[in-house]
Amino acid sequence: MKKLIGIDLGGTTVKFAILTEDGEIQQKWSMETDIQNGGRNIVPKIIESIKQRLNLYGLTANHFLGIGMGSPGAVDREKGTVIGAYNLGWTTLQPVKELIEAGTGIPFFIDNDANVAALGERWKGAGEGGANVVFVTLGTGVGGGVIAEGNLISGSSGAAGEIGHIIVDPNGYPCTCGNQGCLETVASATGIVRLARDLSVQFAGESKLKWLIDDGQEVTAKTVFDQAKLGDRLALIVVDKFYFYLGLACGNIANVLNPEAIVIGGGVSAAGEMLLKGVEGYFLKFAFPQVRTSTKIKLAQLGNDAGVIGAASLVKVRKA
Ligand code: ZN
C-alpha cells in the first residue's frame, strides 16, 4: 500500500506527516516557517525537509501516492498556486505545485487551510465520514469549510465557506473585508477580547475581568473563558454575547445546508464543553424544527493534526 504526505503550512510553523492511505499518521515533524525574503525560502525549505525525511526513513517518491497541502491565502486548486498569504509574506503569485512536484517527483495537491481542516475532521475526527459537514475554525480569525453531498464546496470563485464573514450584527464592528459586523469581528480570539473591552465600559458590578482590563493587564480570549468558568459576572455576559453570535451563524448555516454536524475547532474551541453548551443553546433557538433535531454542534477532535490529515486526504479526493 502506498503512503501519503500531508503538509499544514502556517504563519509560524510548517507541520508535516507521513500517513497510510487510511489516514493513520506514521511519522510527523515540523519546522519554523521562514517568512524572510518575501517568503521565498518557504517552498525550497519544504522540499529540502521532505527529501531529508524520506532519506532518513529509507523511502523514495515511488512509495507515495501524493502530497497534499493546506495553505493560507487565496489558493488556485487547479493551477496549484497561492497569492495573498500575507502572514507568509506571499503577496505575489507562488507556483507551489510546480516547484514541489519538480523538487520531489511526487504529485501535489493544495487547498485553503480551513477547507483542509474541514476535510481532516470529516475523515478522521468529529465529522465521522459524513457527507454533509461544516467546519468553523475560531482562531486569530474565523475560517470555515463546507462539505455538502460529499464535496468540498469552493464556489464560483473559490470564496465559498467564508463563514467568518457571515454578518451577525449589521451595525457592528468594521471587518477587514470592508463590511460591518462579520462573525470574525466578535467570535475570533481578538473579537472576544474586543467584546470584553467594550462591555466592561458599561459594566458597573464586581468583576475580576473588568479589574484586569482597567488595570491594563493582558487579557486574551482564554482569560475571558477562564473567568467565565469561575462565575465572573462580566465574563459571563461576554461569553453569552459570543454564544449568541456563533449560535446565530450556526443556526443560519444549518437552515441552508442541514449538515450532520457543524464542527467547531481552532484555538478558541479549547474552552470545550462550556462553549459547546452555550452555542448549542442559541443554535437550537435559531434552527428550524427538522434542522434542530438532525444537525449536531460538535467540538473538533483532531486538534493540531486536522491540518496534516486533511491535507493528505486531498490526494485521495483529487486523484480519485
Ligand atoms: Zn468580514
Side-chain angles (χ1 to χ4, degrees):
M1 211 162 84
K2 291 216 175 188
K3 297 175 192 290
L4 310 167
I5 292 176
I7 306 173
D8 180 3
L9 173 57
T12 51
T13 36
V14 188
K15 301 187 194 80
F16 299 82
I18 294 175
L19 305 91
T20 64
E21 264 193 74
D22 299 326
E24 301 307 322
I25 294 178
Q26 294 184 312
Q27 307 285 349
K28 61 179 177 178
W29 71 98
S30 70
M31 65 178 198
E32 232 173 272
T33 310
D34 180 356
I35 57 168
Q36 290 176 57
N37 204 11
R40 253 175 239 111
N41 305 338
I42 296 174
V43 173
K45 286 201 170 173
I46 286 173
I47 295 168
E48 190 187 295
S49 182
I50 291 172
K51 283 176 149 174
Q52 200 183 43
R53 288 286 164 155
L54 297 200
N55 222 342
L56 182 68
Y57 304 131
L59 296 166
T60 64
N62 286 329
H63 289 100
F64 294 92
L65 206 56
I67 300 172
M69 182 161 109
S71 169
V75 175
D76 184 322
R77 310 201 293 174
E78 303 312 317
K79 297 196 180 81
T81 58
V82 180
I83 193 167
Y86 301 103
N87 56 344
L88 302 177
W90 285 358
T91 50
T92 57
L93 195 76
Q94 305 290 317
V96 183
K97 178 183 169 76
E98 193 187 310
L99 294 171
I100 292 186
E101 286 187 344
T104 63
I106 303 172
F108 179 83
F109 305 87
I110 188 167
D111 211 318
N112 169 273
D113 48 8
N115 284 344
V116 160
L119 286 174
E121 282 291 340
R122 178 220 185 183
W123 193 23
K124 289 285 159 184
E128 294 171 352
N132 301 280
V133 179
V134 174
F135 184 71
V136 185
T137 172
L138 309 172
T140 322
V142 173
V146 175
I147 295 160
E149 314 279 321
N151 298 307
L152 186 63
I153 304 301
S154 57
S156 63
S157 73
E162 287 292 346
I163 288 166
H165 299 291
I166 289 179
I167 293 171
V168 290
D169 178 3
N171 301 311
Y173 301 108
C175 180
T176 50
C177 73
N179 232 319
Q180 258 181 291
C182 295
L183 182 64
E184 181 163 289
T185 67
V186 288
S188 61
T190 44
I192 292 166
V193 173
R194 178 188 286 145
L195 280 179
R197 289 189 183 283
D198 279 6
L199 290 166
S200 85
V201 175
Q202 312 143 26
F203 185 80
E206 191 65 26
S207 160
K208 175 82 185 292
L209 179 60
K210 183 177 170 64
W211 183 85
L212 290 169
I213 291 170
D214 291 344
D215 196 47
Q217 301 211 22
E218 197 198 356
V219 169
T220 63
K222 186 176 184 300
T223 318
V224 175
F225 282 106
D226 286 348
Q227 288 301 322
K229 275 178 193 159
L230 295 170
D232 183 276
R233 284 174 50 212
L234 172 62
L236 287 170
I237 294 171
V238 176
V239 298
D240 189 65
K241 261 280 204 259
F242 161 81
Y243 296 151
F244 166 82
Y245 289 130
L246 189 54
L248 175 63
C250 288
N252 282 325
I253 293 166
N255 287 345
V256 176
L257 296 166
N258 186 210
E260 286 94 327
I262 297 180
V263 180
I264 301 173
V268 173
S269 71
E273 285 301 315
M274 182 178 75
L275 179 149
L276 187 66
K277 289 279 162 293
V279 175
E280 219 168 41
Y282 285 107
F283 167 77
L284 293 172
K285 176 175 158 64
F286 295 119
F288 75 88
Q290 289 108 302
V291 170
R292 202 180 297 151
T293 51
S294 54
T295 295
K296 300 272 172 286
I297 306 287
K298 293 182 176 180
L299 289 171
Q301 292 173 354
L302 300 179
N304 272 337
D305 290 339
V308 287
I309 293 174
S313 80
L314 282 178
V315 177
K316 298 197 67 173
V317 176
R318 303 274 190 81
K319 269 210 139 179

